[in-house]
Amino acid sequence: MDQGKIDRINVLARKSKAEGLTQAEKAEQDLLRKEYIATIRRNLRSQLDNIDVVNPDGTTENLGEKYGNKGAN
């Protein structure tokens, strides 16, 4: 998500608190928020899939390989 969209989310949030939003602005805000949350989830999933755990017996196992591919998000 680019900085312009994040700035637009912030502008709409401030306007919502100050004077309220039109129906079109509410729809735009909802769409932008959903896109932002999807981006955050995708980034978090990517980070979690790259975690390696060292077991007590000395072996390493990648959590992404163990748990990451078990279903759609």
Side-chain angles (χ1 to χ4, degrees), residues 33-60:
R33 284 180 174 174
K34 286 179 181 177
E35 183 179 343
Y36 180 77
I37 290 170
T39 301
I40 296 297
R41 286 182 178 158
R42 191 171 40 253
N43 290 341
L44 180 60
R45 170 61 60 195
S46 175
Q47 289 177 1
L48 292 175
D49 284 347
N50 288 313
I51 293 175
D52 290 329
V53 175
V54 178
N55 295 319
D57 64 357
T59 61
T60 30

Side-chain angles (χ1 to χ4, degrees), residues 5-23:
K5 289 183 179 183
I6 294 171
D7 292 340
R8 182 65 180 155
I9 290 171
N10 292 330
V11 166
L12 290 171
R14 283 191 293 275
K15 184 177 179 187
S16 174
K17 290 178 183 176
E19 60 194 66
L21 299 174
T22 65
Q23 289 299 325

